[in-house]
Amino acid sequence: MCGISGIVSSENIAKDLFSSIRNLEYRGYDSCGLAVYAEGKIQLRKNTGEVDEVNKKERLTQLVGNLGIAHTRWATHGGVTKENSHPHFSANMEFAIVHNGIFSNYQKLKSELSAEGFEFRSMTDSEVFAHLVERAYAQSPNVENAFVSSLLQVEGAFATAMISIHEPDLLFCAKNVSPLMLGLGESRNFIGSDINAFLEFTKTAVTLDDGEYAIVGKQDYRIKDVATKEEKEKNVFTIHWDVESTKKGGYSHYMLKEIFDQPFTTKQALKIEKEEIEKMAKMIQQSQLCYLVGVGTTFYVSMVGQYFFAQFAKRHLPAVSSDEFKDIAILSDKNMMLTVSQSGETYDTKMAINFAKSFQSKTGAIVNVMGSAISMMVDNVIMQGSGAEICVVSTKAAFSQMMILLRIVLEVARLDNHLSEDQYKEYYTALEDFPDVIETALNEQSGFIRNMADTSVKIHNWLFLGCGVYFPVAMESALKMKEVTYLHAEGMATGFLKHGTLAMIDESLYSLFFVPPPDQIDLHERTLIAIEEIKARGGKVYGFIFEGDEKSEQLLDHLIRLPKVHFLVAPFLEMIMAQLFAYYSALKLNRNIDKPRNLAKSVTVA
Ligand code: M6R
């Protein structure tokens, strides 16, 4: 849940090293620091605060040297203090380390090292590693051996990187579960928690697998197995992301930029080769039971998939939250799971995949980040190609995942003969027209949505309501609202109201309805009943509706009227409007939109 980076070069690296943790800041942002080697010494500067703040306080970019490591932290073990920030020195300051994840046996190691006289400067689990390396080096002065013997002593999910005054031209790094990659440049090489650490410098990368370590020089690198020290042959791949896609491009926040990226990322999702979609569809078709698995937003993405599979392919694919998967899934070699993950590094989802694999179930994934763990773990992966998503809250990535799932659903439905060629063509046309529809709606509706947000930030409790596929859309939209505004928003199916929630309704409770187009007669009627139920008890009702929906117009206290669209894409257009609503509400409330408090972009720990 932190960002690690490192550079070894023939030139001064401090500015680039700083820039690289700036690009990783979405992984954690409560403190940061750099350690840079020069002239027989490691200079280490760190402090609490966001990356730019710490740079002002500590002048990180003014460090001088050609070898260094850096870290941006999201605290787990030990509070947010300067001492607990990374990098950490060994006692003799000859080694500096950074660490992401958890050394689960650190307490035992700490007691052992303390008894031997090592003094700890921090409350972190990470610091033990620096002392372990110092101790091992004292016994046998070889940095690689000391690094590996320390790796053999630590347990847990982690990634770590180290520099030492005894090897002034080399970076050492290793990983187990938590992500780590190498970036290969000219006369300089990089390491990073993900490709954003070095995307502005190189697009050539290598992924480290669990149980591997790397020794990285400015011209070359070696990757070895921690257990055997044997050198490994690794795939070098090219990153197809555009650096521009990681910049704000004139928008005031990444969230807003990423919302406005959606016409483009939808096109990208539609460009994924039909063969890839078909391959996943056939896997699902051949399985006895397929689970759709994700967590947080990707759980809601999976729920959308569940509704569409039932509706179009007449198949039940249960959506399960990754963290609950092992408690509920019935697995065998005839079953499969299809996971969804933006980062491809989410701990809960990785554990769910491992669980399925232990039953020889087939695994598939839709993933955004190339080279990420999940993309490598599964039998079949679809890379969604949405470009870097920097804002901690997921918008464009989740949206594309829904589009890709919908394509898979249509393929399964076609293979199973539940869709005629004409219907299939009609649905694809709706999808192909959708990017332009989104573009127009974003431009036309932003002002209205901003106005709705500006006048409603005094409301601290929301119910977001929908039925059918609009239910998971309401859930996802409520999560967006919670994440960026810190206000309470509860996503719910309209039918739940009369089974308990109506007791809460009075004039202080506001609801936002995701109203389907009137030609979706059953869903529309059920939604209207719920609106009436709330109105009858004095509650205030807001809603997203489509043109021509006079009944809803008469009932709603505040509405956003969207152009008529194909029923297939209608829920998604409303979801985009809800993203904007969350964004503008957070803007009015002056929240830290791209980096909401207490959250991190990839949740790589248990
Ligand atoms: O990287 P993943 O898609 O696997 O992440 C899953 C969740 O942690 C993520 O969707 C989280 O809920 C976001 N903060 C949503 O905006």
Side-chain angles (χ1 to χ4, degrees):
M1 206 86 108
C2 305
I4 288 179
S5 68
I7 307 181
V8 52
S9 169
S10 43
E11 286 169 12
N12 205 10
I13 52 149
K15 285 205 174 90
D16 290 346
L17 194 53
F18 173 72
S19 175
S20 88
I21 47 162
R22 209 159 184 252
N23 292 334
L24 288 180
E25 206 184 359
Y26 61 90
R27 297 180 63 91
Y29 33 84
D30 56 41
S31 52
C32 71
L34 261 63
V36 174
Y37 169 85
E39 295 173 358
K41 261 177 65 185
I42 296 171
Q43 296 266 0
L44 191 153
R45 295 183 187 171
K46 59 185 185 176
N47 215 323
T48 57
E50 293 190 5
V51 169
D52 285 328
E53 246 174 81
V54 177
N55 189 33
K56 264 192 210 140
K57 282 191 239 171
E58 301 292 335
R59 292 167 293 111
L60 302 176
T61 46
Q62 288 176 27
L63 284 163
V64 176
N66 301 349
L67 172 78
I69 49 176
H71 188 272
T72 176
R73 180 169 189 247
W74 191 76
T76 52
H77 289 57
V80 182
T81 64
K82 181 170 179 170
E83 295 68 34
N84 291 340
S85 327
H86 296 222
H88 292 284
F89 264 138
S90 61
N92 61 13
M93 292 158 72
E94 293 178 0
F95 302 88
I97 66 104
V98 287
H99 165 226
N100 169 31
I102 293 166
F103 293 131
S104 51
N105 59 339
Y106 83 99
Q107 256 152 344
K108 180 178 155 275
L109 294 168
K110 190 169 177 176
S111 316
E112 207 178 284
L113 289 158
S114 300
E116 289 173 31
F118 284 92
E119 279 186 21
F120 281 75
R121 302 180 181 96
S122 77
M123 301 303 289
T124 64
D125 54 330
S126 315
E127 195 185 342
V128 289
F129 193 76
H131 297 309
L132 284 175
V133 182
E134 179 182 323
R135 180 173 74 176
Y137 187 83
Q139 284 157 10
S140 156
N142 173 302
V143 177
E144 180 180 346
N145 289 347
F147 185 64
V148 174
S149 90
S150 307
L151 287 172
L152 290 169
Q153 294 172 65
V154 287
E155 289 164 11
F158 62 83
T160 186
M162 180 186 89
I163 56 172
S164 161
I165 63 160
H166 302 294
E167 288 288 5
D169 299 313
L170 293 178
L171 286 167
F172 292 81
C173 62
K175 74 154 250 158
N176 185 40
V177 185
S178 303
L180 200 64
M181 304 180 82
L182 311 190
L184 309 178
E186 289 198 1
S187 306
R188 57 181 185 161
N189 285 323
F190 308 84
I191 59 174
S193 291
D194 63 47
I195 55 185
N196 290 305
F198 45 75
L199 190 60
E200 64 178 308
F201 310 119
T202 179
K203 291 190 172 178
T204 309
V206 180
T207 302
L208 239 62
D209 285 313
D210 292 347
E212 291 178 347
Y213 70 101
I215 305 171
V216 186
K218 57 180 182 260
Q219 307 277 16
D220 52 12
Y221 67 91
R222 278 168 296 146
I223 297 181
K224 297 185 179 185
D225 187 282
V226 174
T228 62
K229 285 205 189 146
E230 265 169 36
E231 203 158 331
K232 306 259 267 317
E233 281 286 317
K234 301 286 294 186
N235 257 354
V236 174
F237 64 94
T238 307
I239 302 158
H240 298 296
W241 283 3
D242 179 357
V243 182
E244 264 317 295
S245 78
T246 70
K247 306 267 182 233
K248 276 192 219 159
Y251 289 95
S252 45
H253 294 92
Y254 281 110
M255 181 174 179
L256 191 61
K257 176 198 176 266
E258 287 158 7
I259 291 173
F260 275 79
D261 273 351
Q262 289 173 125
F264 175 72
T265 50
T266 304
K267 278 190 190 149
Q268 295 301 103
L270 296 176
K271 272 193 200 157
I272 292 169
E273 296 294 335
K274 183 153 180 252
E275 290 70 47
E276 281 191 65
I277 302 289
E278 225 169 46
K279 188 172 167 199
M280 195 66 88
K282 283 189 176 149
M283 255 178 105
I284 293 170
Q285 207 199 15
Q286 283 153 18
S287 67
Q288 273 179 3
L289 175 65
C290 174
Y291 291 96
L292 300 171
V293 182
V295 69
T297 283
T298 50
F299 171 56
Y300 301 133
V301 172
S302 304
M303 277 178 78
V304 165
Q306 175 175 349
Y307 275 89
F308 279 143
F309 268 108
Q311 187 176 354
F312 297 107
K314 314 290 173 225
R315 280 180 180 254
H316 178 51
L317 275 73
V320 181
S321 184
S322 314
D323 55 319
E324 294 289 314
F325 188 64
K326 66 177 183 326
D327 304 311
I328 206 167
I330 311 292
L331 294 163
S332 78
D333 59 355
K334 310 261 176 322
N335 294 351
M336 90 167 259
M337 68 175 331
L338 172 56
T339 48
V340 187
S341 176
Q342 189 287 130
S343 62
E345 299 293 349
T346 303
Y347 177 86
D348 290 323
T349 306
K350 287 198 283 191
M351 291 306 110
I353 296 172
N354 281 336
F355 185 69
K357 283 177 147 209
S358 70
F359 290 85
Q360 282 79 48
S361 297
K362 304 273 178 311
T363 54
I366 301 170
V367 177
N368 193 33
V369 177
M370 290 180 65
S372 57
I374 292 174
S375 72
M376 321 277 261
M377 285 167 88
V378 292
D379 301 317
N380 183 18
V381 64
I382 293 180
M383 298 307 304
Q384 58 184 93
S386 310
E389 189 180 67
I390 301 297
C391 176
V392 165
V393 306
S394 187
T395 51
K396 66 173 182 177
F399 193 80
S400 286
Q401 287 157 353
M402 291 180 186
M403 296 298 112
I404 295 166
L405 266 179
L406 186 49
R407 286 190 64 193
I408 298 171
V409 169
L410 294 181
E411 222 44 60
V412 175
R414 195 177 61 92
L415 292 169
D416 281 351
N417 291 322
H418 289 301
L419 273 191
S420 67
E421 274 310 309
D422 282 353
Q423 277 172 318
Y424 182 81
K425 272 194 205 133
E426 178 197 321
Y427 295 163
Y428 253 91
T429 308
L431 285 177
E432 273 151 14
D433 292 345
F434 197 30
D436 289 344
V437 173
I438 302 172
E439 179 97 47
T440 312
L442 279 170
N443 292 321
E444 286 180 0
Q445 302 297 332
S446 287
F448 296 119
I449 303 239
R450 185 171 190 163
N451 179 37
M452 175 164 123
D454 285 352
T455 53
S456 60
V457 285
K458 58 183 187 302
I459 301 158
H460 287 196
N461 280 305
W462 283 99
L463 286 181
F464 282 19
L465 293 147
C467 59
V469 72
Y470 292 80
F471 166 38
V473 164
M475 300 276 283
E476 161 57 9
S477 303
L479 179 62
K480 287 291 89 89
M481 190 73 172
K482 284 183 270 207
E483 287 186 288
V484 286
T485 65
Y486 317 156
L487 298 175
H488 176 239
E490 192 174 345
M492 198 179 286
T494 52
F496 291 9
L497 281 174
K498 56 186 172 297
H499 299 288
T501 311
L502 280 183
M504 286 171 68
I505 309 292
D506 60 23
E507 61 287 347
S508 68
L509 197 105
Y510 282 67
S511 325
L512 175 64
F513 277 87
F514 294 77
V515 187
D519 57 2
Q520 295 286 285
I521 297 166
D522 173 59
L523 292 178
H524 189 256
E525 273 176 7
R526 281 154 63 191
T527 310
L528 255 54
I529 290 171
I531 296 177
E532 306 245 28
E533 282 169 348
I534 292 185
K535 286 220 78 162
R537 286 153 185 93
K540 294 279 181 302
V541 279
Y542 285 34
F544 297 123
I545 65 162
F546 292 94
E547 258 168 31
D549 186 355
E550 278 117 34
K551 282 190 188 159
S552 300
E553 294 217 6
Q554 281 162 19
L555 288 172
L556 293 167
D557 296 304
H558 194 117
L559 59 90
I560 297 291
R561 192 183 303 105
L562 299 168
K564 272 188 186 151
V565 290
H566 193 281
F567 81 94
L568 190 68
V569 296
F572 303 118
L573 193 60
E574 293 191 344
M575 193 177 101
I576 291 185
M577 298 302 116
Q579 293 170 348
L580 276 179
F581 182 47
Y583 171 78
Y584 284 122
S585 301
L587 190 70
K588 182 76 178 169
L589 290 164
N590 209 13
R591 301 293 194 236
N592 191 355
I593 295 182
D594 286 332
K595 288 174 271 173
R597 68 183 182 198
N598 307 335
L599 299 181
K601 182 77 179 156
S602 15
V603 186
T604 55
V605 289

